[in-house]
Amino acid sequence: MTATLIFGGTFDPVHFGHVLSARALGECFDDARVVMVPCQVPPHRSQPAVKARHRLKMLELAVADEPMITVDDCELKREGKSFTFDTLSMYRAQLPDTPLCFVLGNDSWVTLPTWYRWRELINLAHLVVLARPGETVAESDELQDWAAGRLAEPDVISRKAGSVVKLTLEQFDISATNVRKALSEGQSVSDYVPADVINYINENQLYRNTHDRT
């Protein structure tokens, strides 16, 4: 059964690193369907620089030609903070028999014990943790103990949920923070951001001032 991989983030703005990582994930899990879910109000980080409707549109433009990648605005329609537990609960209800994976970076993984109902996430989906080549992170004893008996290889995707899969993918040295900084300074970001997204940014004068904030 084809798995569904849920790839969340603020995508502020979306860049090639996001798109290429999503594509690589789909290939890694036997052409799984990747759903990119832009966050409305992230509970664990600063608020996005531009309004949700802009981030959604940029993401849609960025993956328009990616047949295995779709965009879901479910968190943008939900009021309040965007809790992963709520999103995964929704997907599990919609896809009761489908293998689900929630994708998160190493930097988010180490903060997992601070997330809302974090211990229950693995009952809803596998957790796929992405690391950069050579990257090491300090996991708390609590997280290490919890994950110890749940670590598995990518072939675990034949099951619906319940495992932690750690992957090292080719990482692209692109930071949304640096992209925003370059845009604010009038620099070119054509090496980092899809052309259609750059056109949208320019047409809407995004990342030029503080009036775009949510």
Side-chain angles (χ1 to χ4, degrees):
M1 182 179 296
T2 301
T4 294
L5 276 66
I6 302 164
F7 186 174
T10 54
F11 305 113
D12 188 30
V14 61
H15 52 64
F16 286 130
H18 295 133
V19 178
L20 295 176
S21 292
R23 187 190 299 167
L25 280 165
E27 294 170 352
C28 182
F29 288 94
D30 295 327
D31 295 323
R33 181 174 71 107
V34 179
V35 183
M36 302 183 78
V37 181
C39 178
Q40 172 74 283
V41 182
H44 302 290
R45 56 179 296 176
S46 59
Q47 299 309 299
V50 304
K51 294 179 180 178
R53 62 183 177 87
H54 291 310
R55 292 184 287 112
L56 173 64
K57 183 60 179 179
M58 289 187 288
L59 189 54
E60 290 172 341
L61 290 169
V63 302
D65 295 326
E66 299 286 340
M68 296 303 293
I69 303 175
T70 58
V71 177
D72 186 353
D73 64 351
C74 62
E75 291 191 355
L76 303 184
K77 295 176 179 176
R78 189 186 307 145
E79 293 185 2
K81 295 180 179 179
S82 299
F83 290 115
T84 297
F85 177 84
D86 295 335
T87 299
L88 294 183
S89 295
M90 181 200 73
Y91 269 94
R92 179 50 69 202
Q94 292 177 350
L95 304 169
D97 300 316
T98 298
L100 295 179
C101 294
F102 177 70
V103 181
L104 67 165
N106 246 347
D107 54 343
S108 296
W109 165 250
V110 297
T111 70
L112 193 68
T114 69
W115 292 25
Y116 175 65
R117 300 178 71 169
W118 69 278
R119 291 179 181 273
E120 300 173 58
L121 299 180
I122 205 164
N123 299 326
L124 301 169
H126 302 292
L127 303 183
V128 177
V129 185
L130 298 185
R132 296 178 175 86
E135 180 183 40
T136 59
V137 294
E139 298 179 355
S140 67
D141 291 342
E142 180 183 25
L143 184 59
Q144 285 185 348
D145 292 344
W146 179 81
R150 297 177 169 88
L151 295 174
E153 297 299 318
D155 58 8
V156 76
I157 203 67
S158 60
R159 302 201 297 269
K160 292 194 298 183
S163 298
V164 175
V165 179
K166 293 191 175 184
L167 293 178
T168 300
L169 297 180
E170 178 183 357
Q171 294 291 310
F172 305 91
D173 190 17
I174 307 173
S175 159
T177 300
N178 290 340
V179 170
R180 292 194 299 272
K181 183 175 184 293
L183 288 167
S184 70
E185 296 173 351
Q187 300 176 13
S188 172
V189 294
S190 59
D191 290 339
Y192 312 113
V193 178
D196 287 345
V197 175
I198 293 175
N199 290 338
Y200 183 87
I201 289 171
N202 291 335
E203 289 170 2
N204 292 275
Q205 290 293 294
L206 302 180
Y207 304 105
R208 268 54 171 190
N209 53 56
T210 58
H211 297 299
D212 300 320
R213 290 190 177 274
T214 54

